[in-house]
């Protein structure tokens, strides 16, 4: 018997933010989304050996973006009505419902979605997979609506599960596939993971037919992933629980074919290379870029994941620049040598990091960096050391994150020893908060420190503004902040100052007037004004702003 499958790609936007968008018509948070590479690659692989009668992917990232852009005319009573409406559009009854729970911020919405699928299709088998599902499988299987969780990569394990369901065999034991009975029998201290696909060349061209490629072409753009796996032992990361530590690379022709298809068949204007450790195998990396060059046309390539200081060098950076990559984020994480070596175990060469940043600036890259504050056992002096370091570098933007106990990471165990993290509200994670205390810094103090450091470094002492790159400063504030947070009057203030420096006084005055309008009509803008008005003297100065 051929089988029917519904696959679900939840939005990474937290449930609370989705609720605000649907129920309160809020446009204060932009629903970012990207191509579900895990699904399109898994389906492509499974189709080699399994006949699927019907398969439908419900893409909540796209659905939410349509609502944000005013492309969905439906009136939803509430967020649950919106989530259910996407399910209602399916015109067949699935044998299996598979949901990809990749991010902690998707957790609550994913549970709501699975509940809705069980109400509509009570006899369908529900299966969850992905990074977050892999590392919270015990909690998920306590939910009566969830039948199975796949721990690790899905190509082999999910394919075997489909065959067992097709054969109506309920007495099976697939490595890495857990149900409630297996959960009781297996040792929870050493959970098994699904068999990995060691030769990525076995994956045919991704199943682009299951997603709305035309919509991606007009919005988020395309995506590819050339490698899986990472050998580094960073304590804050859990990606190795899914992809392992052994680096596996698709063959060069395979990489080129995926890009060529996205360009020629779907006219993708941008393509993101989503590798966790881009460029690790230097010869393969350089050969891939060399062979992409003749077919790239006018496509803009992006590298949204953090570039590794250990991996990057001038030759790799030059290759990315030649490919047409214009921006890159360098993952430094900390400016404290002790935290770097002993807590995060990232072992970044902080001097090399500055040289990499400087070279990227030299060849015309837009440069951002990632830092983390609040790790277990990190002291005030260590945090001060990081802040001094990040103030010493010339980059377009510094992203500062809370240290979080991501399930499956070594840091999760480290946090468990110093605080109670059993009741984490994952829905608040994207908002830059954590709701637990540690002995070295309280949650409110850490939130305040990160927020104030962000405002000081990225806004009032913005590196582009300080170095006289005013047009670049305007571009960054518009793209990084105002596109997503239009109410952010501090960003608007710095845009106005930059316009003044360029002699564009009328445009600057329009920005000042826009700030006044936002403060008068929006609570978040008014709060920002109350908090930072002393640092924005031109908003209060009655003399002409010339």
């Amino acid at each position: 018997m051929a089988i029917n499958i519904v696959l679900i790609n939840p939005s990474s936007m937290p449930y609370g933010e989705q609720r605000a968008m649907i129920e309160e018509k809020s446009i204060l948070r932009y629903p970012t989304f990207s191509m579900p590479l895990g699904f399109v690659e898994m389906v492509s692989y499974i189709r080699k050996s399994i006949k699927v009668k019907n398969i439908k992917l419900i893409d909540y990232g796209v659905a939410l973006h349509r609502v944000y852009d005013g492309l969905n005319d439906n009136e939803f009573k509430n967020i649950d009505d919106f989530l259910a409406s996407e399910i209602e559009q399916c015109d067949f009854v699935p044998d299996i419902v598979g949901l990809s729970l990749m991010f902690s911020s998707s957790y609550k919405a994913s549970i709501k979605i699975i509940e809705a699928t069980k109400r509509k299709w009570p006899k369908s088998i529900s299966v969850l997979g992905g990074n977050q599902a892999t590392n919270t499988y015990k909690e998920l299987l306590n939910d009566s609506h969830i039948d199975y969780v796949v721990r690790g990569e899905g190509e082999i394990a999910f394919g075997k599960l489909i065959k067992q369901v097709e054969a109506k065999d309920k007495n099976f034991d697939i490595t890495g596939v857990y149900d409630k009975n297996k959960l009781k029998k297996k040792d929870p201290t050493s959970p098994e993971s699904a068999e990995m696909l060691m030769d990525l060349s076995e994956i045919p061209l991704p199943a682009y037919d299951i997603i709305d490629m035309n919509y991606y072409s007009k919005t988020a753009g395309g995506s590819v992933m050339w490698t899986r796996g990472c050998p580094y032992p960073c304590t804050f990361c859990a990606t190795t629980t899914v992809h392992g530590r052994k680096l596996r690379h698709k063959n060069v022709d395979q990489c080129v074919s995926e890009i060529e298809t996205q360009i020629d068949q779907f006219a993708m204007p941008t393509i993101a290379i989503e590798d966790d450790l881009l460029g690790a195998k230097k010869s393969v990396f350089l050969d891939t870029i060399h062979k992409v060059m003749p077919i790239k046309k006018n496509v803009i390539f992006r590298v949204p994941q953090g570039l590794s200081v250990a991996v990057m060098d001038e030759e790799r950076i030059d290759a990315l620049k030649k490919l047409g990559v214009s921006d890159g984020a360098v993952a430094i994480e900390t400016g404290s040598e002790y935290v770097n070596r002993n807590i995060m175990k990232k072992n970044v060469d902080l001097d090399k990091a500055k040289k990499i940043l400087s070279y990227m600036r030299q060849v015309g890259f837009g440069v951002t960096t990632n830092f983390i504050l609040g790790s277990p056992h990190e002291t005030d002096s260590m945090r001060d050391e990081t802040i001094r370091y990040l103030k010493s570098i010339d980059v377009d933007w510094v992203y500062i994150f809370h240290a979080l106990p991501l399930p499956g990471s070594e840091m999760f165990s480290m946090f468990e020893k110093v605080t109670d993290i059993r009741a984490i509200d994952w829905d608040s994670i994207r908002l830059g908060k954590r709701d637990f205390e540690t002995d070295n810094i309280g949650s409110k103090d850490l939130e305040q420190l990160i927020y104030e450091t962000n405002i000081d470094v990225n806004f009032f002492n913005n590196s582009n503004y300080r170095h006289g790159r005013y047009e670049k400063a305007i571009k960054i504030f518009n793209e990084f902040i105002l596109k997503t947070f239009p109410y952010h009057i501090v960003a608007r203030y710095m845009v106005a100052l930059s316009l003044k420096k360029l002699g564009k006084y009328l445009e600057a005055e329009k920005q000042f007037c826009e700030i006044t309008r936002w403060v008068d009509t929006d609570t978040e803008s008014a709060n920002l004004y109350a908090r930072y008005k002393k640092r924005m003297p031109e908003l209060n100065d009655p003399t002409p702003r010339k």
Side-chain angles (χ1 to χ4, degrees), residues 223-285:
S223 297
V224 294
M225 182 177 281
W226 294 344
T227 62
R228 296 182 187 178
C230 179
Y232 293 106
C234 305
T235 60
F236 53 83
C237 181
T239 187
T240 55
T241 60
V242 174
H243 295 307
R245 296 203 181 279
K246 181 178 176 59
L247 190 72
R248 294 161 289 151
H249 205 297
K250 293 177 180 176
N251 67 56
V252 174
D253 290 340
Q254 188 178 9
C255 298
V256 174
S257 176
E258 291 177 13
I259 289 174
E260 190 170 29
T261 300
Q262 293 193 27
I263 294 172
D264 290 347
Q265 292 188 25
F266 303 106
M268 286 295 173
T270 65
I271 296 177
I273 308 171
E274 301 277 8
D275 296 43
D276 288 323
L277 196 64
L278 185 63
K281 290 187 177 180
K282 186 173 183 176
S283 60
V284 179
F285 172 72

Side-chain angles (χ1 to χ4, degrees), residues 370-384:
N370 301 335
F371 285 87
I372 299 172
L373 292 175
S375 296
H377 313 300
E378 180 187 63
T379 64
D380 289 343
S381 63
M382 294 173 193
R383 283 187 283 276
D384 290 342

Side-chain angles (χ1 to χ4, degrees), residues 487-498:
Y487 61 83
H488 207 300
I489 63 165
V490 180
R492 291 191 183 278
Y493 182 77
M494 294 308 299
V495 168
L497 294 188
S498 299

Side-chain angles (χ1 to χ4, degrees), residues 334-341 350 382-383 385-386 389:
T334 180
S336 163
E337 285 289 0
Y338 183 86
V339 174
N340 181 24
R341 306 287 175 186
L350 295 176
M382 294 173 193
R383 283 187 283 276
E385 192 177 1
T386 291
Y389 183 91

